Amino acid sequence: MTVMGLGRYKQGSGLGAAKWLVRHGAQTVITDLKDASELHESVTLLMDWYRRYRELYPDRSIYQPVFVLGEHRKDDFLNVDCVVQNPGVPSESEFIIAAKEQKVPIESDVSLFFRFYSHPIVAVTGTKGKTTTTLLLGEMMRRKDAKAVTAGNIKVSPLEHLDALIEEPSPVPVVLELSSWMLESLPQALTDLNRGPDISVLTNVYPDHLDRYPSFEAYVASKRIIFEHQTAAQYTLLNWDHELVRAMEPQVKGKLFWFSKTYQEHDGCYMKDGNVVFRRNGIDTVIVPVAEVALKGEHNVENILSATCAAMLSDITLPDIADVLRQFEGVSDRQEIVREVDEITYV
């Protein structure tokens, strides 16, 4: 196996994939264009983990990883069973293209997680708001199950949790934040599995990352992957207020729920008469007065509505959802209120 892109996040995609492959007996080559000095901390973390794991399980076939740093060697992408591509690695890489030409499977830590975790997965994407939505929904999920996992584009590989999740006697809720690059790694796995995320949330799409895409439409297409492989029994949550997202309705294969700052007659989650309201089958359920929600800012309304809608579809109790909305103040380092002095609020 070849892991392309080790990265420098302690629980990120590269390290997460490398540890998981080694743990399961793969002979693993880890290659990165960054040199050994730049990746010293990551290499040290992985090798410390490897030695501890060998001590804990002396009877297992656990092979020491091989590092190829400061360069990529084409042979490491051709004569292997699989290449695990870090989301930060462009798919246009000559080495990825060469591997595909030789019919070498290309996976990611996220695609491997989908292949091996057969229980419900909620996936969140969008240009803006996906981290806040993911973490807010994760807090709601933890009211249902304290072991609920949030991972993905929040610098935590889902493979860090996979083995423990599989050993649980009952399904554990999982919420994944997926970047466009992570989504691009999924089509083959989702086609093989004949299913997509059980709940897909698309917050919005704005022009972004155009240095990595040939056009804005190519970037938009990457976002549509989140719901393109869903079944009729799965749920798709789209932003009614975003014209580009609203226009995606014909491509939706699952059960469609909308979220909007204005009240709509469709199933979904909306603002109505100063309340957060969930609507299903013609019945409105008031979740909480907007004035009581801790997360502030007009831009956060969409995040609140999408997370609430996903939580209701995940059978989180209304009191638990309302309680989290009253307590969750946002993501660290994102518009945090420092203090108020002389009637001036510092953010």
Side-chain angles (χ1 to χ4, degrees), residues 21 72 91 105 109 124 128 186 197 203 210 221-222 244 250 265 269 271 277 283 288 304 327 336 343:
L21 291 171
H72 292 317
S91 295
D109 63 324
V124 180
K128 306 294 182 183
L186 287 177
T203 60
L210 298 187
S222 72
L244 182 59
E265 294 294 331
C269 200
M271 303 286 283
V277 174
I283 299 173
V288 67
I304 292 163
Q327 295 183 27
E336 290 185 88
E343 299 182 355

Side-chain angles (χ1 to χ4, degrees), residues 136 143 188 211 281 341:
L136 174 57
R143 296 301 180 97
Q188 187 59 57
D211 57 330
N281 298 327
V341 179

